Amino acid sequence: MKLSKNLWLSEVTKSNTAIRRGIDNNPTELHIANLKYLAEKVFQPIREHFGCPLFVSSGYRSKDLNEAIGGSQKSFHSHGMALDLDMDGKASSISNTDIFMYVLNNLNYTELIWEFGTKDKPD
């Protein structure tokens, strides 16, 4: 199922942890609706702005999967309302900093996390 022009549901639900541990990571219809909204309003504008594929390192996480990986109980991932994008090591000139700054300055969002970086750079 496509969530937007360039994002598939399978990209945001795939989890090696879920596969290894036999955890059901299938979203409900409400979660899918949230993921579609996120894909159309956040993912797709980023994708179109930079004109290259984006790597989703984490998307939807069922409550069981979120607990298994030690995610926050308040994580938006468990509601289908969060995507982690990671361009580190990808064959692209786009960096995590580029994506972060684009979202910060151009898109509406509830939470934007500057993860695994320094005070100057999120990647």
mmCIF file of all heavy atoms in Angstrom, residues 30-56:
data_model
loop_
_atom_site.group_PDB
_atom_site.id
_atom_site.type_symbol
_atom_site.label_atom_id
_atom_site.label_comp_id
_atom_site.label_asym_id
_atom_site.label_seq_id
_atom_site.Cartn_x
_atom_site.Cartn_y
_atom_site.Cartn_z
ATOM 1 N N LEU A 30 -6.604 3.344 11.885
ATOM 2 C CA LEU A 30 -6.296 4.684 12.406
ATOM 3 C C LEU A 30 -4.812 4.996 12.251
ATOM 4 O O LEU A 30 -4.435 6.089 11.831
ATOM 5 C CB LEU A 30 -6.704 4.811 13.883
ATOM 6 C CG LEU A 30 -6.338 6.132 14.563
ATOM 7 C CD1 LEU A 30 -6.989 7.318 13.856
ATOM 8 C CD2 LEU A 30 -6.728 6.107 16.030
ATOM 9 N N HIS A 31 -3.951 4.033 12.560
ATOM 10 C CA HIS A 31 -2.512 4.240 12.400
ATOM 11 C C HIS A 31 -2.166 4.499 10.934
ATOM 12 O O HIS A 31 -1.346 5.371 10.627
ATOM 13 C CB HIS A 31 -1.725 3.024 12.902
ATOM 14 C CG HIS A 31 -1.891 2.758 14.357
ATOM 15 N ND1 HIS A 31 -1.999 1.485 14.855
ATOM 16 C CD2 HIS A 31 -1.991 3.582 15.422
ATOM 17 C CE1 HIS A 31 -2.139 1.544 16.170
ATOM 18 N NE2 HIS A 31 -2.144 2.804 16.535
ATOM 19 N N ILE A 32 -2.797 3.749 10.026
ATOM 20 C CA ILE A 32 -2.544 3.934 8.597
ATOM 21 C C ILE A 32 -2.996 5.327 8.155
ATOM 22 O O ILE A 32 -2.301 5.991 7.385
ATOM 23 C CB ILE A 32 -3.219 2.831 7.766
ATOM 24 C CG1 ILE A 32 -2.511 1.485 8.031
ATOM 25 C CG2 ILE A 32 -3.202 3.175 6.277
ATOM 26 C CD1 ILE A 32 -3.215 0.278 7.439
ATOM 27 N N ALA A 33 -4.121 5.785 8.651
ATOM 28 C CA ALA A 33 -4.586 7.143 8.327
ATOM 29 C C ALA A 33 -3.569 8.172 8.812
ATOM 30 O O ALA A 33 -3.258 9.133 8.093
ATOM 31 C CB ALA A 33 -5.959 7.401 8.944
ATOM 32 N N ASN A 34 -3.044 7.990 10.007
ATOM 33 C CA ASN A 34 -2.019 8.900 10.542
ATOM 34 C C ASN A 34 -0.756 8.856 9.689
ATOM 35 O O ASN A 34 -0.153 9.894 9.393
ATOM 36 C CB ASN A 34 -1.671 8.538 11.988
ATOM 37 C CG ASN A 34 -2.784 8.848 12.950
ATOM 38 O OD1 ASN A 34 -3.683 9.626 12.670
ATOM 39 N ND2 ASN A 34 -2.738 8.221 14.118
ATOM 40 N N LEU A 35 -0.351 7.649 9.285
ATOM 41 C CA LEU A 35 0.850 7.496 8.458
ATOM 42 C C LEU A 35 0.670 8.152 7.093
ATOM 43 O O LEU A 35 1.596 8.779 6.570
ATOM 44 C CB LEU A 35 1.197 6.015 8.298
ATOM 45 C CG LEU A 35 1.766 5.342 9.542
ATOM 46 C CD1 LEU A 35 1.713 3.827 9.401
ATOM 47 C CD2 LEU A 35 3.186 5.818 9.829
ATOM 48 N N LYS A 36 -0.520 8.044 6.518
ATOM 49 C CA LYS A 36 -0.789 8.696 5.231
ATOM 50 C C LYS A 36 -0.671 10.214 5.368
ATOM 51 O O LYS A 36 -0.085 10.880 4.520
ATOM 52 C CB LYS A 36 -2.172 8.324 4.709
ATOM 53 C CG LYS A 36 -2.240 6.958 4.108
ATOM 54 C CD LYS A 36 -3.640 6.677 3.566
ATOM 55 C CE LYS A 36 -3.699 5.320 2.917
ATOM 56 N NZ LYS A 36 -5.026 5.020 2.375
ATOM 57 N N TYR A 37 -1.235 10.744 6.428
ATOM 58 C CA TYR A 37 -1.165 12.185 6.657
ATOM 59 C C TYR A 37 0.297 12.626 6.800
ATOM 60 O O TYR A 37 0.732 13.598 6.182
ATOM 61 C CB TYR A 37 -1.963 12.554 7.910
ATOM 62 C CG TYR A 37 -1.993 14.034 8.186
ATOM 63 C CD1 TYR A 37 -2.925 14.848 7.559
ATOM 64 C CD2 TYR A 37 -1.086 14.623 9.058
ATOM 65 C CE1 TYR A 37 -2.956 16.212 7.787
ATOM 66 C CE2 TYR A 37 -1.102 15.980 9.296
ATOM 67 C CZ TYR A 37 -2.037 16.774 8.661
ATOM 68 O OH TYR A 37 -2.047 18.122 8.885
ATOM 69 N N LEU A 38 1.054 11.884 7.595
ATOM 70 C CA LEU A 38 2.477 12.184 7.803
ATOM 71 C C LEU A 38 3.249 12.078 6.488
ATOM 72 O O LEU A 38 4.092 12.930 6.186
ATOM 73 C CB LEU A 38 3.046 11.216 8.847
ATOM 74 C CG LEU A 38 4.499 11.363 9.243
ATOM 75 C CD1 LEU A 38 4.743 12.716 9.901
ATOM 76 C CD2 LEU A 38 4.880 10.241 10.207
ATOM 77 N N ALA A 39 2.953 11.054 5.714
ATOM 78 C CA ALA A 39 3.636 10.860 4.441
ATOM 79 C C ALA A 39 3.355 12.017 3.482
ATOM 80 O O ALA A 39 4.263 12.518 2.813
ATOM 81 C CB ALA A 39 3.207 9.537 3.811
ATOM 82 N N GLU A 40 2.111 12.447 3.426
ATOM 83 C CA GLU A 40 1.728 13.511 2.500
ATOM 84 C C GLU A 40 2.196 14.896 2.948
ATOM 85 O O GLU A 40 2.561 15.723 2.118
ATOM 86 C CB GLU A 40 0.215 13.507 2.313
ATOM 87 C CG GLU A 40 -0.280 12.273 1.573
ATOM 88 C CD GLU A 40 -1.789 12.101 1.626
ATOM 89 O OE1 GLU A 40 -2.498 12.958 2.203
ATOM 90 O OE2 GLU A 40 -2.277 11.074 1.087
ATOM 91 N N LYS A 41 2.165 15.140 4.247
ATOM 92 C CA LYS A 41 2.463 16.482 4.757
ATOM 93 C C LYS A 41 3.922 16.691 5.160
ATOM 94 O O LYS A 41 4.377 17.836 5.233
ATOM 95 C CB LYS A 41 1.574 16.803 5.970
ATOM 96 C CG LYS A 41 0.099 16.777 5.664
ATOM 97 C CD LYS A 41 -0.281 17.831 4.653
ATOM 98 C CE LYS A 41 -1.778 17.843 4.422
ATOM 99 N NZ LYS A 41 -2.194 18.792 3.423
ATOM 100 N N VAL A 42 4.651 15.614 5.425
ATOM 101 C CA VAL A 42 6.042 15.763 5.858
ATOM 102 C C VAL A 42 7.000 15.013 4.919
ATOM 103 O O VAL A 42 7.869 15.622 4.305
ATOM 104 C CB VAL A 42 6.230 15.289 7.324
ATOM 105 C CG1 VAL A 42 7.692 15.411 7.744
ATOM 106 C CG2 VAL A 42 5.347 16.094 8.263
ATOM 107 N N PHE A 43 6.833 13.697 4.814
ATOM 108 C CA PHE A 43 7.766 12.917 3.997
ATOM 109 C C PHE A 43 7.812 13.400 2.552
ATOM 110 O O PHE A 43 8.891 13.675 2.014
ATOM 111 C CB PHE A 43 7.398 11.425 4.036
ATOM 112 C CG PHE A 43 8.298 10.583 3.180
ATOM 113 C CD1 PHE A 43 9.452 10.033 3.709
ATOM 114 C CD2 PHE A 43 8.003 10.349 1.845
ATOM 115 C CE1 PHE A 43 10.299 9.271 2.916
ATOM 116 C CE2 PHE A 43 8.843 9.590 1.047
ATOM 117 C CZ PHE A 43 9.998 9.047 1.594
ATOM 118 N N GLN A 44 6.649 13.487 1.911
ATOM 119 C CA GLN A 44 6.614 13.810 0.479
ATOM 120 C C GLN A 44 7.173 15.203 0.179
ATOM 121 O O GLN A 44 7.942 15.353 -0.775
ATOM 122 C CB GLN A 44 5.202 13.644 -0.077
ATOM 123 C CG GLN A 44 5.160 13.500 -1.581
ATOM 124 C CD GLN A 44 5.950 12.309 -2.112
ATOM 125 O OE1 GLN A 44 5.883 11.217 -1.562
ATOM 126 N NE2 GLN A 44 6.719 12.528 -3.163
ATOM 127 N N PRO A 45 6.849 16.227 0.965
ATOM 128 C CA PRO A 45 7.478 17.534 0.696
ATOM 129 C C PRO A 45 9.008 17.499 0.816
ATOM 130 O O PRO A 45 9.705 18.147 0.025
ATOM 131 C CB PRO A 45 6.867 18.455 1.754
ATOM 132 C CG PRO A 45 5.540 17.842 2.046
ATOM 133 C CD PRO A 45 5.786 16.362 1.965
ATOM 134 N N ILE A 46 9.529 16.738 1.776
ATOM 135 C CA ILE A 46 10.987 16.616 1.899
ATOM 136 C C ILE A 46 11.540 15.922 0.664
ATOM 137 O O ILE A 46 12.520 16.363 0.066
ATOM 138 C CB ILE A 46 11.373 15.828 3.169
ATOM 139 C CG1 ILE A 46 10.926 16.555 4.427
ATOM 140 C CG2 ILE A 46 12.886 15.588 3.206
ATOM 141 C CD1 ILE A 46 11.020 15.706 5.700
ATOM 142 N N ARG A 47 10.905 14.831 0.282
ATOM 143 C CA ARG A 47 11.339 14.037 -0.876
ATOM 144 C C ARG A 47 11.343 14.885 -2.137
ATOM 145 O O ARG A 47 12.296 14.854 -2.922
ATOM 146 C CB ARG A 47 10.397 12.832 -1.032
ATOM 147 C CG ARG A 47 10.555 12.009 -2.294
ATOM 148 C CD ARG A 47 11.859 11.239 -2.291
ATOM 149 N NE ARG A 47 11.925 10.221 -3.314
ATOM 150 C CZ ARG A 47 12.210 10.420 -4.595
ATOM 151 N NH1 ARG A 47 12.401 11.639 -5.054
ATOM 152 N NH2 ARG A 47 12.293 9.401 -5.433
ATOM 153 N N GLU A 48 10.297 15.658 -2.340
ATOM 154 C CA GLU A 48 10.210 16.488 -3.538
ATOM 155 C C GLU A 48 11.202 17.647 -3.503
ATOM 156 O O GLU A 48 11.793 18.001 -4.526
ATOM 157 C CB GLU A 48 8.781 16.977 -3.728
ATOM 158 C CG GLU A 48 7.868 15.827 -4.134
ATOM 159 C CD GLU A 48 6.404 16.176 -4.219
ATOM 160 O OE1 GLU A 48 6.050 17.373 -4.113
ATOM 161 O OE2 GLU A 48 5.598 15.237 -4.400
ATOM 162 N N HIS A 49 11.419 18.223 -2.329
ATOM 163 C CA HIS A 49 12.368 19.327 -2.220
ATOM 164 C C HIS A 49 13.781 18.877 -2.580
ATOM 165 O O HIS A 49 14.480 19.562 -3.334
ATOM 166 C CB HIS A 49 12.356 19.911 -0.803
ATOM 167 C CG HIS A 49 13.397 20.959 -0.595
ATOM 168 N ND1 HIS A 49 13.272 22.235 -1.088
ATOM 169 C CD2 HIS A 49 14.609 20.908 0.025
ATOM 170 C CE1 HIS A 49 14.343 22.932 -0.770
ATOM 171 N NE2 HIS A 49 15.181 22.153 -0.099
ATOM 172 N N PHE A 50 14.210 17.745 -2.046
ATOM 173 C CA PHE A 50 15.575 17.280 -2.279
ATOM 174 C C PHE A 50 15.713 16.439 -3.543
ATOM 175 O O PHE A 50 16.818 16.245 -4.041
ATOM 176 C CB PHE A 50 16.107 16.526 -1.063
ATOM 177 C CG PHE A 50 16.358 17.427 0.117
ATOM 178 C CD1 PHE A 50 15.510 17.406 1.206
ATOM 179 C CD2 PHE A 50 17.417 18.318 0.117
ATOM 180 C CE1 PHE A 50 15.727 18.255 2.290
ATOM 181 C CE2 PHE A 50 17.643 19.171 1.191
ATOM 182 C CZ PHE A 50 16.801 19.140 2.281
ATOM 183 N N GLY A 51 14.604 15.911 -4.052
ATOM 184 C CA GLY A 51 14.628 15.185 -5.317
ATOM 185 C C GLY A 51 15.423 13.886 -5.302
ATOM 186 O O GLY A 51 15.991 13.502 -6.322
ATOM 187 N N CYS A 52 15.458 13.233 -4.142
ATOM 188 C CA CYS A 52 16.164 11.948 -4.060
ATOM 189 C C CYS A 52 15.456 11.058 -3.041
ATOM 190 O O CYS A 52 14.719 11.537 -2.189
ATOM 191 C CB CYS A 52 17.621 12.152 -3.670
ATOM 192 S SG CYS A 52 17.863 12.733 -1.985
ATOM 193 N N PRO A 53 15.679 9.750 -3.142
ATOM 194 C CA PRO A 53 15.071 8.842 -2.165
ATOM 195 C C PRO A 53 15.516 9.171 -0.740
ATOM 196 O O PRO A 53 16.637 9.633 -0.520
ATOM 197 C CB PRO A 53 15.595 7.467 -2.588
ATOM 198 C CG PRO A 53 15.921 7.625 -4.031
ATOM 199 C CD PRO A 53 16.425 9.040 -4.174
ATOM 200 N N LEU A 54 14.631 8.944 0.208
ATOM 201 C CA LEU A 54 14.918 9.152 1.624
ATOM 202 C C LEU A 54 14.858 7.807 2.337
ATOM 203 O O LEU A 54 13.982 6.994 2.057
ATOM 204 C CB LEU A 54 13.887 10.094 2.253
ATOM 205 C CG LEU A 54 13.778 11.488 1.648
ATOM 206 C CD1 LEU A 54 12.612 12.238 2.268
ATOM 207 C CD2 LEU A 54 15.071 12.259 1.809
ATOM 208 N N PHE A 55 15.756 7.594 3.257
ATOM 209 C CA PHE A 55 15.804 6.345 3.998
ATOM 210 C C PHE A 55 15.051 6.487 5.316
ATOM 211 O O PHE A 55 15.381 7.341 6.142
ATOM 212 C CB PHE A 55 17.250 5.938 4.265
ATOM 213 C CG PHE A 55 17.378 4.683 5.063
ATOM 214 C CD1 PHE A 55 17.065 3.447 4.509
ATOM 215 C CD2 PHE A 55 17.781 4.727 6.386
ATOM 216 C CE1 PHE A 55 17.168 2.285 5.254
ATOM 217 C CE2 PHE A 55 17.893 3.573 7.142
ATOM 218 C CZ PHE A 55 17.585 2.349 6.570
ATOM 219 N N VAL A 56 14.024 5.664 5.506
ATOM 220 C CA VAL A 56 13.259 5.646 6.757
ATOM 221 C C VAL A 56 13.901 4.596 7.664
ATOM 222 O O VAL A 56 13.855 3.407 7.379
ATOM 223 C CB VAL A 56 11.778 5.294 6.505
ATOM 224 C CG1 VAL A 56 11.018 5.214 7.829
ATOM 225 C CG2 VAL A 56 11.133 6.313 5.576
#
